[in-house]
Amino acid sequence: MTKQHPAWSPYDNNGGTCVAIAGADYCVTAADTRMSTGYSILSRDYSKIIKLADKCVMASSGFQADVKALQKLLAARHLIYQHQHNKQMSCPAMGQLLSNTLYYKRFFPYYSFNVLGGLDNEGKGCVYTYDAVGSYERVGYSSQGSGSTLIMPFLDNQLKSPSPLLLPAQDAVTPLSEAEAVDLVKTCFASATERDIYTGDKLEIVVLNKDGIHREYMELRKD
Amino acid sequence: MESIQAKQGLVGPNDPIQRTQLPYVTGTSVVALKYKDGILMAADMGGSYGSTIRYKSVERIKPIGKHSLLGASGEISDFQELLRNLDELILYDNMWDDGNSLGPKELHSYLTRVMYNRRNKFDPLWNSLVLGGVKNGQKYLGMVSMIGVNFEDSHVATGFGNHLARPILRDEWHENLSYEDGVKLLEKCMRVLLYRDRSAVNKLQIAKITEEGTTISQPYALKTFWGFTAFQNPTAGAEGSW
């Protein structure tokens, strides 16, 4: 008899799109709140963004159970860091920790696609972008997840970051104001939602600047 | 020669270990929702052996501790093993005698880790679990899948329920549902599932949990009407190529 059941898989793709944009003195991190499996929606109100430290947030898409395990691990590691050093971890430090944590599971990976947004030690916006096994890079803006193929080229077109090959190295932060960056993110998601079935329902935007952290929401198409 | 030695038992010493990669006896959808005073949960009592409905009195909703209800679809034996583990967990927690008890939030978190750990061992518990409860005036309703995917929502449904019941719930659910309206809404969902899910049977239980405690109804049947013309001649008007 032929096989009737598909082989069991330890992975699922729960979809979702993440974007982060760094400015001179702010960082905007955003993700939609839809969680899907196959053609079904599991939840219309699931937050993909967590605050890892005072000046560091992570937006993650991919396999929700792996993402949750990753978030718990980073939170635990950050708690130990605070007990040992009596301070919050910086965003660049958290960036390295996230890379190491992902690579630690190189041969049974966390199926998660992350962007880390925050402020560096000079208070400048910083964005780190990852693949599932921990390759990472500091950039001025990035998009990850199911809608990234729609959003990334649009950001490239709008933000025209200086080539990383330029010498001396140029600052990767975007020239936009905070309000302009928030508007750009909203446009990105409104557009991605039109074509990507795994993006929609609601947009969660987290803005980090010298005044602290602030969250806002925008409704997206629910179909 | 080699094969004679290996076939002395069912599993030879050099055979790879086999874990549950397909379920035997399974239960179908669980549907649950928040209402004014707590949580309501519904599940039918069928136990399918493949496509044969082998058992017709399987209890798939059980109270856990004082504040929670657990509903399960999927492999019945995995669910029953899980119930034994949870019973022990609750017992040992109770033996501290410190007045603390595990609430629905803690149990959901625990179940999430159990399911995810088993998937990491490539030895999953073949279930979708629904956990509902009330503690300290806080209503809680969440779901966990076979591979550890988990979330909270104001209404949830497993399996076919996610396709057939949740659209109804999204249309008709609201925060202030009375007990009567909640039961009516669940029965509407269960009736649709009964009509369209071949694994569903017309014998179900509805469970209620509030601050006062848990009540699980006696098994009962829904009133059905099979005389719709679409049921009598389902292909009328649907022109096919054969």
Side-chain angles (χ1 to χ4, degrees), chain B residues 31-33 35 39-45 61 69 179-191 203-209 214-220 222:
Chain B
V31 185
L33 49 83
Y35 79 107
I39 306 292
L40 291 170
M41 197 183 289
D44 73 40
M45 302 188 75
I61 303 177
L69 268 177
Y179 170 70
E180 287 75 17
D181 290 347
V183 170
K184 256 186 223 154
L185 185 50
L186 278 183
E187 285 182 348
K188 183 173 183 179
C189 293
M190 294 310 281
R191 185 173 288 110
K203 182 173 173 186
L204 71 146
Q205 287 177 303
I206 289 189
K208 173 181 86 158
I209 184 160
T214 317
T215 26
I216 301 181
S217 79
Q218 285 306 305
Y220 70 102
L222 294 170

Side-chain angles (χ1 to χ4, degrees), chain A residues 85-161:
Chain A
H85 301 102
N86 195 30
K87 66 173 184 183
Q88 293 274 315
M89 208 184 271
S90 69
C91 195
M94 189 58 86
Q96 183 65 53
L97 176 63
L98 176 54
S99 173
N100 294 151
T101 309
L102 289 167
Y103 193 78
Y104 184 79
K105 274 176 69 69
R106 172 63 179 78
F107 298 108
F108 183 26
Y110 288 121
Y111 193 65
S112 69
F113 300 92
N114 310 293
V115 282
L116 198 67
L119 301 175
D120 67 10
N121 296 321
E122 281 91 58
K124 232 177 350 181
C126 66
V127 169
Y128 291 92
T129 184
Y130 296 80
D131 73 0
V133 290
S135 310
Y136 84 122
E137 186 182 23
R138 183 172 172 173
V139 289
Y141 58 88
S142 189
S143 172
Q144 288 285 352
S146 59
S148 67
T149 46
L150 284 71
I151 292 179
M152 203 57 203
F154 179 63
L155 290 176
D156 288 333
N157 176 260
Q158 293 294 300
L159 298 173
K160 301 198 198 320
S161 71

